[in-house]
Amino acid sequence: MALMGERTANLSSIVDARRANSTRYKAIAAALAALRRGELVAIPTETVYGLAADACNARAVGKIFIAKGRPRFNPLILHVASVEMARAIGIFTEEAEKLAEAFWPGPLTLVLPMRPASLVSDLATAGLPTVALRVPAHPVAKALLVAFGGPLAAPSANRSGHVSATTAAHVATDIGVAASVILDGGPTGIGLESTIIGLAGEPTLLRSGAIPRDKIESVIGRPLAMPTVDPDAPAAPGMMKSHYAPAAKLRLNVTSVEPGEALLAFGATMPEGADKAAATINLSESEDLTEAAAKFFAALRELDEKAEAIAVMPIPEEGLGEAINDRLRRAAAPR
Ligand code: TXA
Ligand code: MG
C-alpha cells in the first residue's frame, strides 16, 4: 500500500452501492464493520455526501475533524434511522414533532436541547447543550443507519470551507484515505445541504438549505427568526462568511463576462461576452431551481479547474434560490 500512488489508494476505498442488490449489501456490511472499528465512512445522502463516524465514540469523531481540517468549535449533525431514535437523543417540542412529521426522512436538520443521558460524544456536539439531528432519506444512508442502530455524526464529506461533495469521486479527491470506505450511491439527488432549524428557543433558520423557508413556515404557522451571528462562535460553519469556497475568484450577479472568466449560467439569455468564456456550465436553461441545486457544487468544482475566475449570473432569491445564493455569497466572500 505504501508504494501506491495517492490517487490509486484513494479510489480503492470507493465501493459500489448504487443498486439495491447483493453488491450494495456487501458494501454496507464493510461500512458497518469500519464504523464499529471506530473508522470513518463516507456515505451518500439525498443532499450531499457525509463523512460519518460513530457519534458515541470520541476517538472516531475526532478523526472527522482531522480529516476535514475543521475548527474544533463546530458541532456536527447526528444522523439517525428514525424519529424514535431522534427522540431518544433530543427533546422534541410540539413544533419539532410537526416538522419531523412533515419532512423526515428528508433534508431537514433540527437543533434541539439534548437529553442529559444521551451517550453522544461531547466532541460531536462541541460541548453544546443542544444537538443537531436528521433522519436522511437516501436508501444507502438509511440501510446503514438501521444496521448500525445508533447515531452517526456526519458533516459534509469535503475539506472544511471547501465546495461540498456530491459524488463519490469528489469525496475521494477531498477526503481520500481518511475514509476507510466510501459508499458510492451515485450523484446526490438534491445537491444542497439540509435546512437547519433551531428549536431550542424561537424557531430560527440557522442555515438555508434543501427545504425552502416558506415550506417550513407553513408547517409551524409562523415566520422563522434569523440567527444572531457571533462571528467568533458561529452556530453553524455554514454561517461563516467564507465557506463552500473554490480556489477561483467568484463574481456574482454578472451582466457581462470578462476575458478569462468561466461562466456559471442560469436561464436561456446569456450575458455579454458569454461566447468568449473560458468554460460555461448552465445550472438550468429552463430556470428550474431544483435542477440548478442538483448541479451546483459539481459545476463549481468543474469551473474551478478551468479558470482563475468565475462569473455567476443572477439567480432568483426564491424557493431553493435562497439556499443557492447563500452558498454563492459565502463562496465569493473574502478569505
Ligand atoms: O445535508 C446535510 O446537512 C449534510 C449531510 C451530510 O447530512 N451535512 C452537513 O453537515 O452539511 P455539516 O457539518 O457540514 O453542517 C452541519 C451544521 C453545521 O453548520 C453545524 O454547526 C450545525 O450543523 N450544527 C450542529 N450542531 C449544532 C448545534 N447544536 N447548534 C447549532 N448548529 C449546529
Ligand atoms: Mg459543509
Side-chain angles (χ1 to χ4, degrees), residues 264-296:
L264 188 62
F266 182 81
T269 319
M270 288 302 106
E272 216 177 292
D275 50 321
K276 295 196 187 69
T280 299
I281 296 180
N282 199 327
L283 291 174
S284 174
E285 270 182 52
S286 62
E287 304 193 9
D288 174 348
L289 288 164
T290 304
E291 180 191 2
K295 289 163 87 171
F296 178 68

Side-chain angles (χ1 to χ4, degrees), residues 48 68 70 155-162 164 193 207 237-238 243-244:
V48 298
K68 285 192 58 111
R70 165 176 273 202
S156 51
N158 52 277
R159 270 170 297 124
S160 190
H162 288 218
S164 303
E193 293 84 352
R207 179 178 73 187
H243 202 80
Y244 311 107

Side-chain angles (χ1 to χ4, degrees), residues 61-138:
V61 175
K63 290 178 187 172
I64 293 179
F65 293 93
I66 293 163
K68 285 192 58 111
R70 165 176 273 202
R72 294 277 159 151
F73 50 73
N74 291 333
L76 307 174
I77 293 177
L78 303 197
H79 297 68
V80 290
S82 64
V83 66
E84 289 75 22
M85 202 188 286
R87 288 198 199 99
I89 300 171
I91 299 170
F92 275 59
T93 57
E94 205 176 306
E95 283 171 326
E97 291 290 351
K98 278 191 195 161
L99 288 173
E101 166 76 28
F103 299 114
W104 280 355
L108 174 72
T109 297
L110 299 178
V111 175
L112 303 171
M114 186 163 59
R115 291 194 185 282
S118 92
L119 299 173
V120 172
S121 151
D122 279 347
L123 206 49
T125 56
L128 294 170
T130 52
V131 63
L133 289 161
R134 149 161 141 80
V135 180
H138 194 287

